[in-house]
Amino acid sequence: PPLLELRGVTRSYRTGGWFAPRQERQVLRGVDLTVHEGGCTGVVGPSGAGKSTLCRIALGLEQPDGGMVRFMGRAWGRDVRHGLGKDRRHIQVVFQNSVNAVNPRLTVERIIGEPLENFTTLNRRQRRARAGELLEQVHLSPVLLDRLPHRLSGGQLQRVCIARALAPRPRLILLDEALSSLDMLVQARVLDLLTELRRATGTAYLFVTHDVRLVPLFCDEAAVLTEGRVAPVDMRTSGQARA
Ligand code: ADP
Ligand code: ADP
């Protein structure tokens, strides 16, 4: 069954103002997208295609102008945050630039512990223990629990952010260019990790990237987003293109 469903989603922004002429820019022009329970859907698109807008709408951070978004069988209300309520824990995100996405003053323990604090009743000691388990799950040593983010490599920090996303046991993880700032070798390792986690936990993924090569490696269905519209990708053809 569909876990996340977007139907005919539209979104415009008003641009211009003081000096430039005012105009309405339609960023999403009727987007249909489905992520199935435990599945992985890829969205590929060039820069400016509307990927970030799509991510914000999927996360419930922003509201579409038209169309419908359903998550876990429920339509999101006008106030998306309110509509989602406690289901928020079930959709977590990993961003491209984790250095900017984490608080530089928080240790790895607190970074991973944040969603546990927000979404579970675990006490401090239990959160530390769980954070240590999650580090092991992303193949990092629990020794890192007391480190600050600037003492980690890019690949380590990205793994920490994956651990944080896994922490509240979400049904869906949104990967927003999550591999894009890593060099190719690290990218391949993190992709292997994600594949392994997908098998172990049954978590579904929405994998958003500009890099078309990554999609057949991880996703079981995919769409191309250009100029605010989506077209399905034939995974067999894109697999052949890679070979
Ligand atoms: P992508 O992530 O694929 O690069 P974005 O969703 O960031 O695409 O942006 C798509 C288009 O929408 C861009 O032209 C961008 O300038 C515009 N846009 C995105 N967010 C806003 C906003 N909050 N206000 C005005 N324009 C925006
Ligand atoms: P339990 O609830 O007893 O840990 P599960 O079947 O839920 O058993 O999970 C098996 C293993 O996978 C455990 O180590 C658990 O921590 C981990 N796990 C399962 N689902 C998730 C998830 N969504 N995020 C992180 N870890 C998970």
Side-chain angles (χ1 to χ4, degrees), residues 71-85:
F71 183 59
M72 294 172 66
R74 251 161 300 187
W76 293 358
R78 255 197 78 72
D79 180 347
V80 174
R81 279 169 180 280
H82 180 74
L84 260 185

Side-chain angles (χ1 to χ4, degrees), residues 158-205:
Q158 211 57 354
R159 282 168 197 262
V160 166
C161 289
I162 292 168
R164 177 177 61 179
L166 289 168
R169 296 193 190 191
R171 305 270 283 274
L172 177 68
I173 294 179
L174 170 62
L175 301 170
D176 181 2
E177 298 279 5
L179 305 177
S180 301
S181 62
L182 304 175
D183 67 51
M184 268 174 58
L185 184 64
V186 180
Q187 228 177 41
R189 291 206 180 121
V190 174
L191 208 57
D192 282 347
L193 168 70
L194 289 168
T195 306
E196 179 194 322
L197 289 171
R198 220 187 125 189
R199 290 206 189 97
T201 64
T203 313
Y205 286 88

Side-chain angles (χ1 to χ4, degrees), residues 55-240:
C55 289
R56 289 194 299 272
I57 288 173
L59 285 170
L61 299 174
E62 196 174 299
Q63 227 178 285
D65 302 323
M68 184 201 76
V69 183
R70 286 173 77 84
F71 183 59
M72 294 172 66
R74 251 161 300 187
W76 293 358
R78 255 197 78 72
D79 180 347
V80 174
R81 279 169 180 280
H82 180 74
L84 260 185
K86 64 180 168 45
D87 294 340
R88 267 217 67 79
R89 73 172 277 195
H90 284 298
I91 180 162
Q92 297 294 318
V93 61
V94 181
F95 295 102
Q96 168 169 13
N97 194 338
S98 296
V99 177
N100 295 331
V102 301
N103 184 336
R105 292 161 191 271
L106 297 187
T107 60
V108 167
E109 173 185 359
R110 300 274 308 280
I111 291 170
I112 299 176
E114 225 167 40
L116 297 174
E117 217 172 312
N118 293 337
F119 299 117
T120 74
T121 57
L122 298 182
N123 66 31
R124 198 175 167 153
R125 191 183 48 79
Q126 292 167 322
R127 290 199 301 269
R128 184 177 171 89
R130 175 87 175 117
E133 277 173 25
L134 285 156
L135 278 180
E136 284 179 337
Q137 212 173 354
V138 298
H139 306 303
L140 291 177
S141 163
V143 167
L144 299 185
L145 279 176
D146 300 312
R147 289 252 177 112
L148 289 168
H150 73 271
R151 300 263 334 276
L152 301 174
S153 72
Q156 285 175 329
L157 185 56
Q158 211 57 354
R159 282 168 197 262
V160 166
C161 289
I162 292 168
R164 177 177 61 179
L166 289 168
R169 296 193 190 191
R171 305 270 283 274
L172 177 68
I173 294 179
L174 170 62
L175 301 170
D176 181 2
E177 298 279 5
L179 305 177
S180 301
S181 62
L182 304 175
D183 67 51
M184 268 174 58
L185 184 64
V186 180
Q187 228 177 41
R189 291 206 180 121
V190 174
L191 208 57
D192 282 347
L193 168 70
L194 289 168
T195 306
E196 179 194 322
L197 289 171
R198 220 187 125 189
R199 290 206 189 97
T201 64
T203 313
Y205 286 88
L206 178 57
F207 184 82
V208 178
T209 180
H210 71 279
D211 191 346
V212 68
R213 294 168 306 170
L214 296 176
V215 168
L217 300 175
F218 187 60
C219 301
D220 30 53
E221 52 189 291
V224 177
L225 179 67
T226 39
E227 291 171 8
R229 293 179 205 280
V230 286
V233 177
D234 185 335
M235 295 297 280
R236 287 165 307 152
T237 327
S238 61
Q240 277 163 10

Side-chain angles (χ1 to χ4, degrees), residues 13-15 25 27 45-54 56 62:
Y13 295 109
R14 234 163 263 134
T15 57
R25 205 194 123 92
V27 177
S47 159
K51 300 187 298 295
S52 306
T53 304
L54 185 69
R56 289 194 299 272
E62 196 174 299

